[in-house]
């Protein structure tokens, strides 16, 4: 049987493997598998694999990389994806880092712990990392105690005070728990006072401070100490406003820190709206500092919005609409819209496209997926969220190539979720992501396929809401990833770049996708026609032939994916 007549249920070459659907494809290498896991996670599993099974497979790939002597490279990859904001959730990042920290390979362990402060930028990340190391059987050895201690002691006191009062407990841990496990030590009087506050409460900390002041003058920080403070590594800063609120008011003395903590404790039980507004403005307090019963105040939310970081603002659009703060033509609406359209702010805040997509899907419903909160949808805010989705991808310039984009809408792509979001299946996520190319390139056609091909009417002016609705209406079936190339050949379409969004569980076709591309190249006299495979699940499969330099496998919902696709299309990589 010739290769061109071999169905996908038969191997084309000896280096192929059988996927979960019974078709033959290639296996991605372990580093590619790691990258898929970091971006896509394993929440919700796939049509063929449960979440636990998928997670174990990904963990084995990471362990194998470490065993092959590539542990430091793994840590560097984790660090790069984290710092560049290329992943939408931190759970896979922290799990992978915990695996490296647990490693018996010394260089891998050292690399993991030395990167802890850069990757765990807020307490939520730190507590998540600690939870995973505990689950993996990692004890509190010297390396972990030292790394966690330095997470606290190397921070600027102003930023640390904001972090520990906002994120008081996460993932089953409190700061008090972590301090008792890590035994941090510092000569910084402000951080010492913070540690006392965390472990004993404010009143005890003040009493201890008074007894210390009987023997030492800690009222002011010397010029030398101020220089040390300025040179400290600031983990939470204005260029790194991921989930955190920034305490712009620098706390340079014990008295200033004490005043801040006294205010934090006082507002916990306050019912005076004016008092809370004053505290928010004077000390840059945030929503988490305030009593729950006061969070229905429109005036309080208006003040919170003044300095609210982008991530928090996007998360709270529904709440602010519910209390009528974002009414049409209001100053709050104008402020929100202006910030959502600011590409530089989106980049600095590490706003991931997937998180904006989830926010858009939630906001347009007028109610949350959980709870009873409902709101009137502000059309201007909704439309700007869509613009922010495109802006949040790394900048992509047009390549002026001719694209045919194939969206796998088969049964397996309609099951499961991306990163645990209940509204975003791989099929829906694919159609949203493909619109980056449609809006960027002058020539880009889109088709959907399962066991048959379905042309869809996506244009530069199509709204995300409409195309996702259209995708959900398409009837699903078995998977044949060769159909986009076959369709283009039958219609004599001149295509430079085929892009296929899929979970690579193809099996139904009479010809392999790679062979369909070869036939297209030959019969259409397009020897340089390329295939980009965008993997939408963190399994180990790809339809891209690793021996063909004109085929590329990349990770879906990596915020850098469109940029990589553009470079590949131009022949730059």
């Amino acid at each position: 049987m010739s290769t061109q007549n071999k169905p996908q249920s038969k191997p084309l070459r000896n280096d192929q493997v059988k996927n979960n659907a019974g078709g033959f494809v290639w296996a991605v290498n372990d580093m590619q598998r790691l990258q898929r896991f970091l971006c896509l996670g394993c929440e919700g599993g796939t049509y063929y694999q449960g979440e636990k099974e998928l997670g174990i497979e990904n963990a084995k790939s990471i362990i194998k990389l470490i065993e092959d002597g590539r542990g430091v490279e793994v840590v560097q990859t984790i660090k790069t994806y984290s710092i560049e904001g290329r992943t939408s959730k931190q759970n896979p990042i922290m799990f992978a880092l915990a695996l490296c920290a647990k490693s018996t390979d010394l260089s891998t362990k050292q690399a993991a712990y030395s990167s802890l402060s850069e990757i765990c930028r807020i307490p939520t990340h730190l507590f998540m990392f600690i939870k995973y190391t505990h689950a993996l059987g990692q004890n509190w050895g010297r390396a972990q105690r030292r790394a966690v201690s330095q997470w606290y002691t190397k921070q600027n006191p102003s930023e640390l005070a904001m972090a520990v009062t906002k994120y008081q407990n996460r993932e089953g841990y409190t700061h008090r728990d972590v301090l008792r496990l890590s035994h941090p030590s510092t000569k910084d009087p402000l951080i010492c006072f913070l540690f006392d506050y965390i472990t004993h409460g404010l009143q005890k900390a003040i009493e201890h401070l008074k007894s210390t002041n009987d023997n030492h003058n800690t009222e002011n920080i010397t010029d030398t100490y101020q220089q040390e403070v300025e040179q400290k590594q600031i983990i939470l800063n204005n260029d790194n406003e991921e989930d955190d609120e920034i305490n712009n008011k620098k706390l340079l003395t014990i008295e200033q820190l004490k005043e801040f903590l006294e205010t934090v404790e006082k507002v916990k039980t306050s019912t005076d709206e004016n008092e809370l507004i004053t505290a928010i403005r004077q000390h840059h307090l945030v929503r988490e500092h305030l009593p729950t019963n006061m969070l229905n105040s429109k005036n309080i939310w208006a003040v919170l919005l003044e300095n609210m970081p982008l991530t928090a603002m996007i998360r709270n659009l529904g709440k602010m609409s519910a209390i009528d703060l974002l009414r049409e033509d209001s100053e709050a609406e104008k402020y929100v819209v202006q910030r959502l359209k600011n590409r530089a702010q989106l980049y600095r805040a590490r706003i991931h496209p997937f998180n904006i997509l989830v926010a858009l899907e939630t906001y347009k419903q007028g109610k949350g997926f959980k709870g009873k909160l409902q709101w009137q949808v502000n059309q201007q805010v909704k439309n700007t969220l869509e613009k922010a989705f495109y802006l949040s991808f790394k900048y992509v310039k047009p390549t002026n190539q001719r694209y045919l984009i194939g969206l796998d809408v088969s049964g397996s792509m309609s099951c499961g979720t991306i990163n645990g979001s209940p509204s975003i299946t791989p099929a829906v996520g694919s159609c949203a992501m493909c619109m980056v190319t449609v809006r960027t390139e002058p020539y880009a056609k889109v088709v959907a396929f399962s066991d048959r091909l379905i042309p869809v009417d996506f244009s530069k002016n199509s709204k995300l809401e409409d195309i996702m609705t259209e995708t959900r209406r398409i009837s699903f079936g078995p998977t044949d990833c060769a159909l986009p190339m076959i369709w283009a050949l039958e219609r004599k379409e001149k295509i430079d770049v085929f892009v296929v969004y899929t979970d690579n569980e193809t099996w139904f076709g009479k010809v392999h996708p790679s062979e369909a591309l070869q036939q297209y190249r030959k019969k259409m006299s397009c020897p340089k026609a390329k295939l980009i495979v965008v993997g939408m699940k963190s399994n180990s499969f790809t339809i891209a032939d690793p021996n063909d330099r004109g085929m590329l496998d990349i990770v879906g919902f990596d915020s850098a994916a469109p940029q990589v696709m553009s470079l590949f299309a131009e022949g730059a990589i």
Side-chain angles (χ1 to χ4, degrees):
M1 183 182 291
S2 66
T3 57
Q4 68 180 28
N5 294 324
K6 278 194 175 181
Q8 294 170 23
S9 57
K10 301 289 184 182
L12 191 65
R13 296 202 312 250
N14 291 334
D15 60 346
Q16 287 193 309
V17 297
K18 183 181 285 191
N19 62 25
N20 294 310
F24 281 85
V25 292
W26 284 276
V28 296
N29 61 45
D30 290 320
M31 187 56 70
Q32 290 173 311
R33 185 82 190 262
L34 168 65
Q35 292 164 354
R36 283 188 181 184
F37 174 65
L38 295 179
C39 290
L40 300 170
C42 60
E43 284 185 84
T46 71
Y47 181 80
Y48 298 97
Q49 290 178 289
E51 181 177 316
K52 184 177 180 180
E53 182 185 356
L54 191 61
I56 290 172
E57 278 194 7
N58 281 289
K60 287 180 178 178
S61 294
I62 297 171
I63 292 169
K64 188 173 184 301
L65 284 167
I66 296 171
E67 290 174 346
D68 290 344
R70 301 178 68 185
V72 174
E73 185 182 351
V74 169
V75 174
Q76 186 57 48
T77 300
I78 296 168
K79 183 176 172 181
T80 298
Y81 273 68
S82 175
I83 291 175
E84 292 183 1
R86 292 171 64 176
T87 66
S88 63
K89 294 188 77 171
Q90 293 299 312
N91 303 64
I93 290 278
M94 298 308 154
F95 177 76
L97 186 65
L99 269 178
C100 293
K102 182 182 179 294
S103 171
T104 55
D105 179 69
L106 183 59
S107 60
T108 302
K109 183 186 287 286
Q110 289 175 338
Y113 281 121
S114 65
S115 300
L116 185 69
S117 291
E118 293 177 89
I119 296 173
C120 299
R121 291 177 292 277
I122 58 174
T124 304
H125 301 165
L126 179 67
F127 292 168
M128 192 183 297
F129 169 80
I130 292 170
K131 180 188 75 172
Y132 283 133
T133 57
H134 178 73
L136 291 168
Q138 177 76 346
N139 295 321
W140 277 83
R142 184 165 54 186
Q144 181 152 315
R145 286 199 302 271
R146 181 171 59 249
V148 174
S149 294
Q150 289 178 350
W151 188 93
Y152 285 95
T153 59
K154 287 193 174 182
Q155 289 205 54
N156 177 285
S158 302
E159 311 298 345
L160 185 59
M162 176 60 73
V164 300
T165 55
K166 178 190 174 183
Y167 305 96
Q168 295 187 38
N169 60 81
R170 295 288 191 278
E171 305 291 339
Y173 286 90
T174 66
H175 290 283
R176 185 181 184 187
D177 298 329
V178 176
L179 291 184
R180 287 181 170 177
L181 289 166
S182 59
H183 311 299
S185 177
T186 178
K187 294 181 180 179
D188 184 328
L190 275 75
I191 293 183
C192 283
F193 183 69
L194 264 176
F195 287 169
D196 211 359
Y197 163 74
I198 291 168
T199 53
H200 300 108
L202 183 58
Q203 290 307 313
K204 286 286 186 182
I206 292 173
E207 290 173 12
H208 295 163
L209 178 65
K210 288 179 180 178
S211 64
T212 302
N213 283 343
D214 290 340
N215 301 311
H216 303 284
N217 180 15
T218 59
E219 181 68 17
N220 296 307
I221 300 178
T222 65
D223 291 340
T224 302
Y225 181 69
Q226 286 191 46
Q227 291 175 5
E228 290 177 0
V229 169
E230 291 171 0
Q231 292 171 358
K232 277 193 172 190
Q233 175 186 0
I234 300 176
I235 295 176
L236 309 176
N237 54 53
N238 284 320
D239 290 329
N240 183 21
E241 57 159 288
E242 185 169 355
D243 289 317
D244 40 281
E245 277 69 13
I246 307 305
N247 191 352
N248 293 313
K249 184 176 180 179
K250 299 304 178 185
L251 307 174
L252 297 177
T253 68
I254 292 287
E255 280 304 312
Q256 289 175 340
L257 176 58
K258 183 159 70 76
E259 181 187 354
F260 172 75
L261 295 176
E262 285 174 337
T263 303
V264 167
E265 292 299 316
K266 186 177 182 180
V267 301
K268 287 180 180 179
T269 56
S270 176
T271 57
D272 186 328
E273 185 177 277
N274 292 328
E275 181 180 55
L276 291 173
I277 288 173
T278 300
I280 292 166
R281 285 194 166 131
Q282 286 185 351
H283 295 281
H284 305 283
L285 300 188
V286 298
R287 179 181 62 85
E288 286 78 3
H289 288 127
L290 307 182
T292 304
N293 62 314
M294 296 301 291
L295 290 177
N296 287 319
S297 165
K298 183 176 176 180
N299 292 331
I300 285 177
W301 275 98
V303 177
L304 287 172
L305 181 60
E306 292 173 4
N307 291 298
M308 191 179 292
L310 217 44
T311 302
M313 188 188 82
I314 291 170
R315 284 177 180 164
N316 288 290
L317 289 174
K319 177 65 178 180
M320 290 188 287
S321 293
I323 60 172
D324 199 34
L325 179 62
L326 299 183
R327 66 184 182 278
E328 188 176 350
D329 294 326
S330 65
E331 289 302 314
E333 178 205 61
K334 293 174 185 176
Y335 179 70
V336 166
V337 167
Q338 177 264 324
R339 294 193 69 195
L340 286 174
K341 292 194 295 187
N342 190 317
R343 183 190 289 272
Q345 283 194 28
L346 290 167
Y347 179 77
R348 280 201 309 273
R350 294 188 178 89
I351 304 297
H352 194 277
F354 181 78
N355 292 334
I356 297 181
L357 182 63
V358 172
L360 174 60
E361 279 288 281
T362 304
Y363 185 73
K364 74 179 186 183
Q365 302 292 334
K367 61 180 181 179
F369 288 103
K370 298 179 181 178
K372 300 179 180 179
L373 188 66
Q374 296 186 16
W375 56 85
Q376 183 72 35
V377 176
N378 181 304
Q379 292 300 316
Q380 181 77 349
V381 171
K382 187 186 80 169
N383 293 339
T384 309
L385 270 174
E386 179 167 342
K387 293 177 183 177
F389 171 76
Y390 298 115
L391 290 172
S392 60
F393 284 99
K394 292 184 183 295
Y395 176 70
V396 183
K397 65 177 183 178
T399 64
N400 296 313
Q401 303 288 307
R402 293 164 296 192
Y403 285 78
L404 178 64
I405 302 170
L407 303 177
D408 180 352
V409 293
S410 61
S412 61
M413 285 284 283
S414 65
C415 294
T417 63
I418 297 177
N419 270 324
S421 172
S423 62
I424 311 295
T425 64
V428 170
S430 297
C431 74
M433 195 173 168
C434 86
M435 285 301 296
V436 179
T437 304
V438 172
R439 290 170 65 101
T440 303
E441 297 294 342
Y443 185 99
K445 290 187 176 182
V446 183
V447 294
F449 67 88
S450 53
D451 57 333
R452 59 191 176 89
L453 191 135
I454 308 142
V456 290
D457 186 21
F458 292 177
S459 70
K460 296 181 189 298
N461 298 321
S462 297
K463 289 186 173 294
L464 275 177
E465 182 178 2
D466 296 334
I467 65 171
M468 288 191 287
T469 299
E470 183 175 346
T471 302
R472 290 187 176 105
R473 288 175 181 163
I474 298 173
S475 58
F476 307 114
T479 313
D480 181 3
C481 287
L483 286 175
M485 283 71 76
I486 293 172
W487 181 82
L489 181 58
E490 289 175 347
R491 293 173 59 91
K492 306 299 182 186
E493 293 271 355
K494 283 284 188 178
I495 301 297
D496 300 307
V497 184
F498 293 91
V499 183
V500 176
Y501 288 83
T502 179
D503 60 0
N504 295 285
E505 298 286 7
T506 188
W507 64 276
F508 189 75
K510 296 179 180 179
V511 60
H512 284 254
S514 59
E515 191 60 30
L517 179 65
Q518 296 288 5
Q519 293 176 21
Y520 177 86
R521 287 170 174 169
K522 182 178 180 180
K523 294 180 180 180
M524 291 295 295
S525 299
C526 296
K528 294 184 179 180
K530 298 176 179 178
L531 171 63
I532 299 174
V533 181
V534 186
M536 298 303 294
K537 273 295 182 180
S538 60
N539 56 28
S540 61
F541 309 120
T542 180
I543 60 172
D545 184 348
N547 295 330
D548 189 325
R549 298 189 66 178
M551 300 188 198
L552 175 70
D553 183 276
I554 64 171
V555 182
F557 272 110
D558 177 346
S559 61
Q563 192 177 63
V564 175
M565 291 163 63
S566 176
L567 292 171
F568 180 73
E570 290 182 318
I573 57 174

